[in-house]
Amino acid sequence: LKEKQVSLAIEMESPGLLWKGDPDLLSSVLRNLIDNACRVSEAGQKILVRGRKDGFSVEDFGCGIPEEEIKRVTEAFYMVDKSRSRVKGSVGLGLALCQKIADIHGFQLEITSHLGKGTIVSVLW
């Protein structure tokens, strides 16, 4: 974040929220989502992490994902823009692992995106 000059904002719905699940696995999901958001963000943009009673979400204000690609981004090794992703150090496993961790917990991984406006990835229980 510091290297790319991207800021991170955290909003909690209410203090002391209790998240259900394996803390190490959920931490991995959160770190991965923040890393993905940072990867698509430009200098000066922000990433917003929201904690809610029913889960958490990470929102970026980057390029967004084409609607027809959203269903495929959780497939192992699938990347929307393969040439740029490899240059930025991605191999296409992050969201697949996030999906698997969500499945193990019985949670849902929900992705909403708008081209040119950004993406929100939510983990809901």
Side-chain angles (χ1 to χ4, degrees):
L1 293 167
K2 187 176 183 179
E3 183 179 304
K4 284 196 72 174
Q5 299 176 340
V6 173
S7 63
L8 180 67
I10 299 171
E11 292 180 0
M12 297 299 285
E13 194 171 84
S14 62
L17 286 175
L18 181 61
W19 290 7
K20 310 168 188 176
D22 183 282
D24 292 330
L25 291 176
L26 291 177
S27 177
S28 292
V29 170
L30 187 57
R31 280 193 314 268
N32 188 291
L33 296 179
I34 291 170
D35 185 56
N36 286 352
C38 185
R39 198 174 282 132
V40 299
S41 296
E42 300 294 331
Q45 289 184 321
K46 74 174 180 178
I47 296 168
L48 180 57
V49 176
R50 287 189 178 98
R52 309 183 321 225
K53 289 181 217 165
D54 64 343
F56 62 90
S57 64
V58 176
E59 179 176 6
D60 68 64
F61 300 90
C63 56
I65 303 168
E67 188 175 341
E68 64 275 7
E69 306 265 357
I70 290 175
K71 291 183 183 200
R72 299 208 52 208
V73 296
T74 57
E75 295 175 15
F77 304 109
Y78 186 82
M79 293 180 281
V80 174
D81 185 345
K82 292 165 187 52
S83 61
R84 284 187 14 182
S85 295
R86 293 217 197 288
V87 169
K88 293 183 178 186
S90 178
V91 294
L93 285 175
L95 285 175
L97 290 172
C98 290
Q99 180 66 64
K100 190 65 166 173
I101 292 169
D103 291 345
I104 289 168
H105 284 82
F107 300 162
Q108 290 186 337
L109 190 71
E110 183 178 280
I111 302 170
T112 55
S113 189
H114 301 284
L115 284 177
K117 295 184 179 179
T119 301
I120 302 172
V121 182
S122 301
V123 177
L124 305 172
W125 41 79

